[in-house]
Amino acid sequence: MTLELTSAGESHGPALVAIVMGLPAGLRVEHAAIAEDLRRRRQGYGRSPRQQLEEDEVQVLAGLRHRRTLGTPLALVIANRDHANWAWGMSAWPPEGEPSGKGTTSVTLPRPGHADLAGTLKFGHEDARNALERASARSTAIHVAAGAVAEGLLAELGMGVAGRVIEVGGETSEDAWIAATDAARAARDTLGGVVEVVATGVPPGLGSYAEKATRLDARIAGTLMGIQAVKGVELGDGFALARTRGSEAHDEIEPDRRRATNHAGGLEAGVTNGEPVVARAAMKPLPTLMRPLRSVDLVSGEPGEALVERSDVQAVDALAVVAEAAVAWELARAVREKFGGDALVDVRAAHSAYLERIGWHTR
Ligand SMILES: Cc1cc2nc3c(=O)[nH]c(=O)nc-3n(C[C@H](O)[C@H](O)[C@H](O)COP(=O)(O)O)c2cc1C
């Protein structure tokens, strides 16, 4: 038993869709909780006007009745309001009438740092838009919606997951983030940053050291690295551990089997150890610059300037929400694997029985 998600949707297509398999029946899904996470994803200093345009209203087409999951596939849809401006350019069928709106001319000047060049070559596209539309971080909206559902499941078992920004453009205070973002915008440049996700109430024993692929540390690192623009991930003290001695690096075990420190970030041998799970992700500066980078025209072979498409100056606040959803999703998968159950009551019973067997009390 596990949770699986399959999604589809282009950035300027009609909608983002997801099918979620493996939720237990009877889980309460709050529309307001999903809406709140989607709102948080759109927020943040340095985002582009697209965020005001999109409402990100989630529709549930299947798997839910009167707010409770049915134990059947859950189908989620988020319409792209901006599609109205791209109806001709992004039409699924050969469009009728004169070209109108956006996306009517081919993108032949790939942007460095985006999927444009590699995707065009890999799939044999003549228009880089065929690659960049799906590679866009617009898809993170549907993952945030699914993450909100996962957080609901985790909350039933006393677990909470929270993401926050810890650095923007190398700065560590909010005033400095705003100033750095303003300066980057004025210079028609972009910034990156670092976010941190902490999961609390996590019991020991989620994940497994049996194989690389089952290690929860690997899975959390993988899901964070799977987010657009993430170039580095660390768990617990991560890279800093490499510069300390063993006597300072490990979390000694107290009589109650808890730890006074948490350098490991709640994971030992790919298994949760009962301490908060702590993961950080580093985001590169966004690759679409209003002062375009050098590129080459894929048709003429002439040097040129990369495509300039409406873009954020920085999206680190959004990454905090997207990363929170990703970690929640992976933890929820590990919960489904460990506790099984068709109905939420079964999951809760298995969870309680396990905590009783190991004599574990959440702090
Ligand atoms: C929430 C979020 C918003 C993003 N917004 C933009 C953006 O406005 N402009 C841009 O060039 N890249 C943006 N990105 C990053 C690109 O999507 C990403 O760098 C690109 O698809 C290439 O993938 P890679 O950086 O993982 O190699 C965003 C990423 C995230 C997570």
Side-chain angles (χ1 to χ4, degrees):
M1 168 63 68
T2 191
L3 265 180
E4 292 300 342
L5 178 148
T6 304
S7 74
E10 273 67 49
S11 179
H12 300 102
L16 301 165
V17 300
I19 306 264
V20 174
M21 306 279 286
L23 287 168
L27 175 66
R28 209 177 150 103
V29 174
E30 295 290 350
H31 181 268
I34 301 177
E36 173 58 11
D37 281 357
L38 289 170
R39 188 194 65 74
R40 288 170 60 218
R41 193 197 73 95
R42 288 198 308 276
Q43 299 292 299
Y45 200 69
R47 304 300 310 278
S48 83
R50 168 120 196 228
Q51 307 312 321
Q52 277 112 55
L53 179 69
E54 294 298 345
E55 250 170 29
D56 287 352
E57 172 66 27
V58 74
Q59 257 184 295
V60 180
L61 297 191
L64 198 67
R65 184 158 185 245
H66 304 169
R67 225 196 248 139
R68 298 270 178 191
T69 53
L70 300 176
T72 56
L74 182 75
L76 305 174
V77 178
I78 298 174
N80 291 324
R81 294 186 102 205
D82 201 13
H83 178 64
N85 301 313
W86 295 74
W88 195 98
M90 290 301 294
S91 171
W93 309 111
E96 288 171 6
E98 289 304 303
S100 65
K102 299 182 180 171
T104 54
T105 51
S106 291
V107 177
T108 58
L109 282 154
R111 297 162 302 169
H114 272 286
D116 305 10
L117 177 61
T120 303
L121 297 175
K122 175 179 166 67
F123 291 102
H125 295 313
E126 285 171 1
D127 180 353
R129 180 156 306 285
N130 290 343
L132 67 87
E133 280 284 327
R134 178 62 184 161
S136 154
R138 173 71 189 144
S139 63
T140 58
I142 203 81
H143 290 112
V144 165
V149 176
E151 286 191 56
L153 173 61
L154 296 175
E156 288 287 346
L157 306 180
M159 294 181 227
V161 187
R164 68 187 180 108
V165 176
I166 54 177
E167 266 184 44
V168 176
E171 303 289 350
T172 54
S173 80
E174 196 160 341
D175 291 350
W177 298 339
I178 291 174
T181 305
D182 287 342
R185 184 186 285 109
R188 296 190 297 147
D189 218 324
T190 59
L191 296 176
V194 180
V195 303
E196 180 178 84
V197 181
V198 177
T200 51
V202 183
L206 298 183
S208 161
Y209 40 74
E211 270 299 341
K212 275 200 285 188
T214 61
R215 289 178 63 119
L216 194 56
D217 52 0
R219 289 166 51 174
I220 288 174
T223 193
L224 289 173
M225 191 57 90
I227 301 169
Q228 289 86 343
V230 170
K231 285 290 166 185
V233 176
E234 60 177 12
L235 301 175
D237 289 354
F239 277 71
L241 283 174
R243 298 187 283 268
T244 56
R245 289 195 169 181
S247 53
E248 300 160 345
H250 298 288
D251 307 307
E252 290 180 304
I253 303 173
E254 307 291 333
D256 66 353
R257 297 167 295 164
R258 305 302 298 245
R259 319 296 175 97
T261 55
N262 188 19
H263 301 299
L267 286 153
E268 287 168 319
V271 181
T272 56
N273 65 8
E275 300 309 316
V277 170
V278 181
R280 277 182 288 277
M283 186 182 213
K284 73 185 187 183
L286 301 179
T288 306
L289 271 67
M290 295 302 121
R291 187 180 55 183
L293 299 172
R294 278 192 300 125
S295 184
V296 61
D297 190 302
L298 297 178
V299 176
S300 70
E302 293 296 318
E305 289 189 335
L307 167 77
V308 177
E309 185 133 289
R310 182 181 52 199
S311 189
D312 303 332
V313 177
Q314 55 98 350
V316 191
D317 295 272
L319 177 65
V321 181
V322 174
E324 172 186 308
V327 171
W329 182 261
E330 211 49 52
L331 283 172
R333 291 185 72 213
V335 158
R336 294 300 286 137
E337 286 155 20
K338 177 136 182 66
F339 300 116
D342 292 314
L344 182 64
V345 286
D346 303 334
V347 185
R348 291 175 67 115
H351 175 253
S352 307
Y354 171 67
L355 292 189
E356 199 174 312
R357 169 169 79 72
I358 64 170
W360 193 260
H361 305 285
T362 31
R363 269 205 293 227

